[in-house]
Amino acid sequence: MTAYVPGITETDLKKIILALQQLAAGRSNAVGSITLATGASSTVVADKNCSAASTPILTAATASAAAELGNGTIYVSAVANGSFTLSHASSTVPRTFLYALLG
């Protein structure tokens, strides 16, 4: 679930408190999902919340994605402002992952 982000000039205390409550409850706008293309060995994930200092955390959302993690054949090979790159095994089976960006 996404979190409310008050504007820099927000003066409504209730909106600011709502944003803090949502953050404390674990809401984040720095999450998403990606399905790796079949036949590819790397995938660029575009996300406006990604910075060069971010740490992408992956979670398997399908059995084939869990197998990829278990095989140790997927890793974050690059992180930049606006995207990160996953290097992985080429497969004929689509693999879907959920991710969260820290930092």
Side-chain angles (χ1 to χ4, degrees), residues 30 42-58 75-87 99-103:
S42 69
T43 302
V44 176
V45 182
D47 190 305
K48 66 181 180 180
N49 290 309
C50 187
S51 77
S54 292
T55 301
I57 308 290
L58 297 177
Y75 62 95
V76 177
S77 56
V79 181
N81 291 331
S83 68
F84 62 93
T85 303
L86 299 172
S87 291
Y99 68 87
L101 298 169
L102 301 178

Side-chain angles (χ1 to χ4, degrees), residues 7-44:
I8 193 75
T9 59
E10 183 61 65
T11 58
D12 185 338
L13 189 56
K14 288 182 181 181
K15 289 181 179 180
I16 295 168
I17 290 171
L18 172 65
L20 289 172
Q21 287 175 330
Q22 289 179 339
L23 286 173
R27 305 294 192 278
S28 174
N29 294 335
V31 297
S33 66
I34 183 70
T35 299
L36 306 180
T38 58
S41 60
S42 69
T43 302
V44 176

Side-chain angles (χ1 to χ4, degrees), residues 52-100:
S54 292
T55 301
I57 308 290
L58 297 177
T59 301
T62 60
S64 55
E68 180 92 22
L69 282 174
N71 291 336
T73 52
I74 186 167
Y75 62 95
V76 177
S77 56
V79 181
N81 291 331
S83 68
F84 62 93
T85 303
L86 299 172
S87 291
H88 51 81
S90 178
S91 176
T92 59
V93 179
R95 294 142 293 164
T96 301
F97 292 87
L98 305 176
Y99 68 87

